Amino acid sequence: MQNKIIITIDGYSSCGKSTLAKQLARRLDYVHIDSGAMYRAITLYLLRNDIHLDIEADISKAIENINLSFVKNDFTGTSDMYLNDENVESMIREMLVSERVSDVATHKSVRDFAVAQQRKIGINKGIIMDGRDIGTTVFAHAELKLFMTADVKTRVERRFKEMFAINPMVSLEEVKHNLEMRDYIDSNREISPLRKADDAVVLDNTLLTMDEQLDIALQLAYERIALPMAKN
Ligand code: CDP
């Protein structure tokens, strides 16, 4: 039987981490987990329940009432994020959540809660998880770590297209501001800031097509799958 490995994909906002993760998952028949969706779902819960986003004790208490799960969507073939048994997949992508998620993700109780679940999901390997701290904190011993980048202009254009399809009222300026603000908060927070892990492979996809980036990542994955299992 083939070795199952853990693949981590970290990087700045909107550089195509989830797209690549989904492609890889399909090709390798692995599970894809979008860790950002968990932080977004937690943020949605806190906003809906009027929890103060800067009071750690209130957040920590509120989290006790949150149950997160990923449920396969037979129509799209990917997993949807469920918050307390409600499908919140599209709601968590709205600007209201994007505006607050990075602040929420700075809190220790939020990170402890999310990381514990992420590690549990990865226990049997055969998983591709994308986010900000997956290669540095969640799976520091992963067999393959990718760190994705793309220039800001490209990232803003990509995210604007996605957001515009959902809400034509959104402006390019708003999207750019949100992306830069989140990159700043994510890179400068105290706990598990966004960093390239020392042993991560950098993948700049500014000028790559989706097929080209998949080929590069698949090649790296196949090399690692042939290696003996690493301890986690
Ligand atoms: O899709 P996009 O790259 O814009 O963001 P996301 O992956 O949905 O993540 C949303 C936010 O969650 C990020 O800006 C981070 O603040 C936070 N996050 C995190 O702190 N750690 C992770 N492993 C994943 C996301």
Side-chain angles (χ1 to χ4, degrees), residues 98-99 102 176-186:
S98 298
E99 273 169 359
S102 287
K176 181 168 186 281
H177 174 261
N178 180 257
L179 193 136
E180 289 176 342
M181 178 194 71
R182 283 197 288 123
D183 282 353
Y184 180 83
I185 300 174
D186 294 345

Side-chain angles (χ1 to χ4, degrees), residues 10-15 17-18 34-37 39-40 93 101-103 105 111 118 130-134 138 159 182 186 189:
D10 290 303
Y12 297 100
S13 177
S14 314
C15 55
K17 300 178 298 289
S18 288
D34 169 5
S35 69
Y39 291 97
R40 286 174 179 273
R93 312 285 162 193
V101 61
S102 287
D103 287 328
R111 301 212 72 82
Q118 290 155 8
D130 74 279
R132 303 293 187 285
D133 62 337
I134 312 302
V138 181
R159 183 49 53 99
R182 283 197 288 123
D186 294 345
R189 67 177 173 230

Side-chain angles (χ1 to χ4, degrees), residues 111-168:
R111 301 212 72 82
D112 287 350
F113 175 75
V115 170
Q117 299 207 13
Q118 290 155 8
R119 288 189 173 142
K120 220 188 263 172
I121 299 170
I123 202 138
N124 293 321
K125 301 201 173 192
I127 188 171
I128 300 152
M129 193 174 289
D130 74 279
R132 303 293 187 285
D133 62 337
I134 312 302
T136 52
T137 300
V138 181
F139 298 122
H141 301 290
E143 289 84 353
L144 174 59
K145 299 180 185 179
L146 298 172
F147 188 84
M148 288 182 71
T149 64
D151 71 32
V152 177
K153 190 167 169 283
T154 308
R155 295 194 281 121
V156 170
E157 280 165 6
R158 287 177 187 160
R159 183 49 53 99
F160 177 66
K161 245 190 229 163
E162 273 172 29
M163 300 287 292
F164 188 81
I166 306 170
N167 172 16

